[in-house]
Amino acid sequence: MDVTGATDVTGATDVTDTPDTGTPNATDTAHPTGPTPRPGRLRALARRKAGGGGDHAPWRSLRYRSMRWWSVANLVSNAGTWMQLTVQNLLVLQLTGSAAATGLSLSVQAAPGLLMGLLGGAAVDRWPRKLTAAVSQAVLGLIAFTTAALVAFDMLNVPMLMTLAAVTGLIATIDSPACALLGNDLVPTKDVPSAIAVGSLVHSVGRLAGTALAGAVVAFLGTGAAYAANGVSFLFVAAVIPFLRPVAKELREPSGQEVQAPAKAASRDRRAQRTERGTGAREGFVFFLRRPRLVALAVITGLSAIFGRNYQLTLAVLVTTTLHGGAGAFGTVSSVLAVGGIVGAVLAARLRSPSVRMVGALAAAGALLQIVVGLSPSFAMVLVLVLPMAIAESISDTAGTTVLQTDPPAHMRGRVLGVWRSASTAWGLAGPPLLGLLMELAGARGALVAGGLVIVAVIAGGALLRKRREVAVSPLPSVAETPLLPRPDLSTAA
């Protein structure tokens, strides 16, 4: 989730939020006799007037009061969500005694993202964003409280639990893009990478806290208490949303993700106008397909998700069987991966205008490291390699998310995120079975090496095609632009 918004629940425009850098308010600038800003505040104001050049502080997005509130709300909500997910798995096991049923409950909750992601994104573009996010959070809280009540009165059964999981997934198709876009409105576009990286760190901390709290809550208060606690976390976010204030619109538009030649930009704008007239899901899908940068980003991310990011499967088999490390050794690898993800998020927060080319380069670097991991002869070498691999992939994730959420025009972003949710759900569901089949055929080492080669080959091929296209469409110099050679002076010839 993310929280922002320039409008209150009724859609009225709110006052813009400003970072706590001492920027003079209207009274200070209108009356020279007002309070004199301190030197530190004057420097902050000068940096802001200069466009913030050189300000790459990882936590710069937290200068905005609304972003700080949103980060706190995210932390509370993520902790509650992971607490509920952990307890939900335990609850299904208690009711059925089947691990397959546990996996089915997770698939049922993810399925609406595949089938309804486009419609959810279209709804986000059509409805007031703050109202949409607040209502969706409140509905998710109501579902959690309903589940808690059913557990408390011993009325919950498997069909009910599956139904509640499906409804939760359906509401999430609206809640996820609404909150993501709402959060980006809290900071200028140049600070969106910082906001996304802060959100990634908050997510990691919330996951650790929620998973740890789940056991304690179940032990002392029972299973229903975890659902009730998650319901409270949703209501907390819903209560925070109306008080959030966005930065000024001129600091968010245009996105500035790329600088194009006027002719190319005009051509793209004409194509965009033909697909942006409607407000339905179809327009969002067509827009996405006609945006080469977004298609390339989807290809890179999808391949990485299927062949490169399922380390809970590939590295688990490599470490525990091929390298004979045992469960404890894989726990160590998982910890190193988590540390690398956090370090990568901190480094990614310093980005200002990431590009698809950067995402591809980092994904290729991570894939090359994955190949070397697959060929590693010892557990110690695996530990050394997984840290930079996780760092590269974490930075790539943050850069890709920034491009995805800032490249489309503002009124199309909900539908673009809807398309992305459907696509990511598809490769999330298809990835583990495909990778499992590859491991059956080639083993853990072969799966890591082959997966890395696929990623590198596709990214390199795409870069080569783009370069050839740029060379093919580059205009030849006209006759008027061709420099003329100096004529020899014949007057002095013998």
Side-chain angles (χ1 to χ4, degrees), residues 339-358:
V339 171
I342 293 174
V343 173
V346 174
L347 295 176
R350 302 178 66 87
L351 299 175
R352 296 181 73 84
S353 297
S355 63
V356 176
R357 184 176 299 179
M358 176 188 296

Side-chain angles (χ1 to χ4, degrees), residues 154-168:
D154 198 20
M155 297 174 60
L156 186 67
N157 53 39
V158 174
M160 285 185 179
L161 186 61
M162 295 294 181
T163 301
L164 291 169
V167 174
T168 299

Side-chain angles (χ1 to χ4, degrees), residues 316-482:
V317 176
L318 177 69
V319 171
T320 59
T321 60
T322 306
L323 297 178
H324 309 288
F330 177 65
T332 303
V333 171
S334 298
S335 299
V336 174
L337 286 171
V339 171
I342 293 174
V343 173
V346 174
L347 295 176
R350 302 178 66 87
L351 299 175
R352 296 181 73 84
S353 297
S355 63
V356 176
R357 184 176 299 179
M358 176 188 296
V359 175
L362 290 168
L368 289 173
L369 288 169
Q370 174 183 315
I371 294 172
V372 181
V373 169
L375 299 174
S376 298
S378 66
F379 174 70
M381 187 173 181
V382 171
L383 281 182
V384 171
L385 291 170
V386 293
L387 181 63
M389 183 174 68
I391 292 174
E393 291 178 349
S394 179
I395 299 174
S396 176
D397 287 343
T398 300
T401 303
T402 302
V403 173
L404 178 69
Q405 295 183 7
T406 59
D407 176 73
H411 65 284
M412 292 293 294
R413 288 174 185 168
R415 279 166 284 182
V416 167
L417 290 184
V419 175
W420 190 267
R421 184 175 180 85
S422 295
S424 61
T425 302
W427 65 58
L429 294 175
L434 289 175
L435 195 58
L437 178 61
L438 181 59
M439 292 177 66
E440 287 289 333
L441 297 175
R445 290 188 184 277
L448 286 166
V449 173
L453 288 174
V454 169
I455 296 170
V456 172
V458 172
I459 293 175
L464 181 61
L465 287 176
R466 178 180 177 180
K467 189 170 184 178
R468 286 184 176 179
R469 181 185 300 176
E470 290 176 349
V471 172
V473 301
S474 58
L476 296 175
S478 62
V479 176
E481 294 174 345
T482 304

Side-chain angles (χ1 to χ4, degrees), residues 30 59 70 83 104 112 128 131 166 196 204 228 251 259 264 272 300 325 387 413 436-437 494:
W59 319 119
W70 177 233
M83 187 188 305
L104 179 61
L131 176 61
I196 293 174
S204 299
L251 295 179
V259 178
K264 184 177 180 181
I300 295 170
L387 181 63
R413 288 174 185 168
L437 178 61

